[in-house]
Amino acid sequence: MKTLGPRISFYAGFVVGTLTLYVFLRQLWFEKTVSMQQVGTFAGIQDYQQQLEEEKKMWKKERSALFNLKHPHHIGTCTSGHNLGFQRGEDSSMADELYKKVRILCWVMTGPKNLETKTRHVKYTWSRHCNIVVFMSSVDDPDFPTVGLGTKEGRDQLYWKTIRAYHYAYEHYADEADWFLKADDDTYVIVDNLRWVLANHTPDEPIYFGRRFKPYTKQGYMSGGAGYVLSKEALRRFVEGFKSKQCTHTTSVEDLAMGQCMEKVGVLAGDSRDSFHRETFHPFVLEQHLTAKFPKSFWYWSYCYYPISEGPNCCSDISVSFHYVDAVGMYLMEYYTYHLRAFGYRYRYQPPTPPGYRIKKSESWDAGKKDKKLEQKLIHPDLSRTDKRQNEDPPPVDGKDGPPAAEGK
Amino acid sequence: MLSDGCSFMKGMLLGGVFCLVLSLLGSFNFSPESSTEDHHHHHVYAPTKDELKHLSDSRVEELKNQVRVYCIIMVQPKTLVYWATVLDTWSKHCDNAVFYTSESSKALEAVDLNEKDDWARLRKALIHAYENAGDLRWFFVAQPTTFAIIENLKYLILAKDPNEPFYLGNAVKSGELEYVEYSSGIVLSYEALKRLMTMFKDESQCPERTHTLWTMGEDKQLALCLKYAGVFAENGEDRHGKGLFNKQNVVSMVKQSMQDNPTDVVEGCCPDMAVTYGEMSPNQMHVMMFGVYRLRPYGHDFHDWITFYPPKDSDND
């Protein structure tokens, strides 16, 4: 009993000593990380200032529109200032030529609540490839910047916003662009591919393009969510149409109303499909078009003007737009479109060069020099298998059951 | 009473010292990579444009032939959907894609290894691949949740000699052992595989079955066997230091980048010439297939010095 006492004390002391020092060390480590975090927030403030600086270099803010100072194809990223495209061995000469000749003003339908959660990501991704971009909201915001259209917010305001946005674009930028695109803040647009579609036409044609739907109108109308683009002549006629009261605010179903006005003023609903008849404007996300099996009762089947293809033929290699794209999706699409690629891969589909543009040089030293018997396995769409052209009458006009193309903003 | 107090103090002191020693040892383990290893190259890069420019026609053809890849895809019937997706997507770009299964499945064809133990199964697959390589000199081991861009793998190994021992991928460290992560794909040159075959005969250093209570992952086992054969793991990177082999899937990498680099999300995230992404769902694989082999912005061309043609009988690339 007597010898046990000091022993127990010893062990007890050992345990206490270990625990004490452990707690002490943890506290030290904790304090170190807290101080590092404080340094981090300071760096965070510096980052924000750096961000403002970069934005100033990239965009010229003028009258609430963003004018692209440096086309992203010339610089990879603003931070490095390097010509990363050049470093990648990228030849963007055709894209640059189209940028000069096919000038597009993009206006994005948005609202004050969405600026930080959605619109911001549009600003940092695809809208950089437009010649001019204007963010249209109900409220003026000189910092973002957004144009205040003087409307309220809400699904029923969509056509009012559209009318005013296009009037604004016409009044301020008619001479600085040839084509005028409307997109939502959850639409991803590949502007380079839009230029390919439009390069086969001229801005004095009364024509507009998008994902063509067939009901309720003679010539069809374009899905709002997938985005649509008016020629300068189409825009002029739109504005004139409202002046002469030929066009009015018929319904709040924005895309249908636009289609009805276009028809009234004699603007043609164009075919935006590629030379293999694959769609370029898409009302859903890429994943859905590629993998989803829409039930035959789904409205989509009866709305599409052209035959629908499921699987890989759903979508053109040079697709123009996708809808319901969330924030992560914007960056993912940007990565897939402009960054990720397979080295040396020779694409099956070679889009025909638009008339009046110089023909591309041969793509690779290897293909040009060596193989005369190139293995060109170009895929032809199997239209017969997917011809779903309905003969029955389209469903009655009912704003509630319409396609979810016009989202409340 | 006093002796009790003394003992207590002695105990406390010893306890404190003990704790310090433990923590020091712990932090020592996490110190940056030691330079004691005899690596020739730790980072592996694809050739630059200048390096490729000077090659003759015949040399280019030789290299294209040399970088043909034998894909070893380790599947199980319980992951049938992934198996089917890999079969339908990226594996079509392998020069020879062979599926190795733990047990046979009526739905899809594969080499039935009839083996439940992960390490033993990997060994059998590697042996089978070595024996059936034909004239292929590069081997790529993948799981069905991995998406691989074979052309970018070929680009990475284009100027490397398969008669040298190469063991590439996402190289990470566990203690003293540097190994290539399984889920981001493992690349082996013919020489590396050959040496491995010899090591497999050495039951003491490279046993077929581990009879310990805890098992090392089969990727670590592989690294160990290769290490004894003088083959060391190397990390595949691009010239910006970005890893080309990713165990995370692309969506989570983008999400991470949105937090870390909010003004430069895409540039700060993922490499242009990525070779692999892990943890990919079947739908994500279909999307990536389209994003890599179909979707592109019109008017941007890359005059790469080698051309890889699309595979026969395929409609999604």
Side-chain angles (χ1 to χ4, degrees), chain A residues 6 13-14 21 73 88 90-92 192-193 287 312 315 317 335 337 341 343-344 346 348-349 363-364 366 374, chain B residues 4 7 11-12 16 152 263 267 271-272 277 283 294 296-301 303-304 307-311 317:
Chain A
F14 187 83
L21 208 68
H73 307 139
R88 282 204 295 266
E90 197 173 340
D91 172 13
S92 304
D192 293 83
N193 291 342
E287 182 176 326
C315 315
D317 288 21
Y335 178 59
T337 309
R341 67 184 189 95
F343 181 78
R346 190 173 199 284
R348 287 187 203 270
Y349 177 59
E363 304 95 71
S364 94
D366 187 29
L374 284 175
Chain B
D4 277 3
S7 307
M12 254 193 83
N152 291 346
T263 53
E267 289 283 348
D272 288 12
Y277 285 99
N283 276 1
R294 298 271 306 276
R296 60 205 186 268
Y298 183 77
H300 297 261
D301 298 301
H303 304 297
D304 298 322
T307 304
F308 294 114
Y309 293 101
D317 54 20

Side-chain angles (χ1 to χ4, degrees), chain B residues 4-290:
Chain B
D4 277 3
C6 272
S7 307
F8 188 80
M9 294 308 288
K10 274 189 221 164
M12 254 193 83
L13 212 68
L14 215 65
V17 171
F18 177 68
C19 187
L20 263 173
V21 169
L22 268 182
S23 66
L24 275 173
L25 273 176
S27 63
F28 186 66
N29 260 341
F30 299 123
S31 66
E33 54 257 39
S34 53
S35 49
T36 52
E37 286 128 359
D38 209 22
H39 281 197
H40 297 292
H41 343 266
H42 183 62
H43 310 277
V44 172
Y45 304 109
T48 60
K49 201 164 187 179
D50 291 325
E51 284 165 18
L52 294 178
K53 251 198 296 197
H54 304 293
L55 300 171
S56 65
D57 293 27
S58 55
R59 182 69 184 135
V60 168
E61 277 313 297
E62 260 176 48
L63 286 179
K64 261 177 85 166
N65 203 42
Q66 187 179 272
V67 292
R68 286 177 304 147
V69 178
Y70 185 116
C71 293
I72 297 164
I73 303 145
M74 307 293 292
V75 295
Q76 292 180 63
K78 67 180 181 187
T79 51
L80 198 67
V81 181
Y82 291 89
W83 178 349
T85 309
V86 171
L87 186 62
D88 190 35
T89 57
W90 64 264
S91 67
K92 291 190 275 193
H93 291 250
C94 301
D95 297 275
N96 190 11
V98 186
F99 290 77
Y100 293 90
T101 179
S102 56
E103 52 185 310
S104 66
S105 159
K106 290 199 186 87
L108 293 168
E109 262 185 52
V111 174
D112 183 5
L113 299 171
N114 195 23
E115 179 63 71
K116 290 280 164 70
D117 181 80
D118 294 329
W119 169 234
R121 193 163 76 244
L122 181 59
R123 280 177 64 118
K124 285 188 179 177
L126 289 167
I127 293 167
H128 184 275
Y130 181 74
E131 287 167 1
N132 293 278
D135 55 356
L136 298 179
R137 289 290 168 266
W138 287 95
F139 302 85
F140 175 64
V141 190
Q143 294 177 310
T145 47
T146 308
F147 189 100
I149 304 167
I150 298 295
E151 287 80 6
N152 291 346
L153 172 57
K154 291 186 177 184
Y155 178 46
L156 181 67
I157 57 177
L158 198 61
K160 314 272 181 287
D161 183 1
N163 296 316
E164 291 288 316
F166 283 100
Y167 166 45
L168 317 170
N170 176 15
V172 293
K173 241 187 157 166
S174 167
E176 277 303 307
L177 182 68
E178 186 132 27
Y179 69 100
V180 170
E181 281 254 24
Y182 204 172
S183 53
S184 34
I186 305 171
V187 184
L188 291 165
S189 68
Y190 188 77
E191 175 62 24
L193 195 57
K194 188 166 162 205
R195 292 192 192 185
L196 193 62
M197 294 297 121
T198 317
M199 275 319 291
F200 280 166
K201 301 196 178 90
D202 183 345
E203 263 296 308
S204 59
Q205 290 202 297
C206 188
E208 187 175 354
R209 261 157 241 281
T210 46
H211 301 285
T212 51
L213 274 172
W214 57 272
T215 45
M216 240 194 297
E218 61 269 46
D219 46 4
K220 293 196 188 89
Q221 276 281 14
L222 180 65
L224 207 59
C225 291
L226 281 167
K227 185 173 168 179
Y228 292 138
V231 182
F232 302 97
E234 294 177 285
N235 198 45
E237 300 171 5
D238 70 5
R239 300 279 167 180
H240 304 288
K242 287 200 191 127
L244 297 172
F245 296 81
N246 300 290
K247 65 177 251 194
Q248 271 190 293
N249 88 28
V250 67
V251 176
S252 65
M253 287 185 72
V254 170
K255 280 190 185 151
Q256 187 66 49
S257 190
M258 283 170 74
Q259 290 201 340
D260 299 339
N261 326 287
T263 53
D264 221 2
V265 177
V266 180
E267 289 283 348
C269 158
C270 314
D272 288 12
M273 313 304 293
V275 178
T276 62
Y277 285 99
E279 299 167 5
M280 298 281 287
S281 74
N283 276 1
Q284 286 172 340
M285 290 209 212
H286 286 296
V287 173
M288 187 168 272
M289 194 74 179
F290 188 85

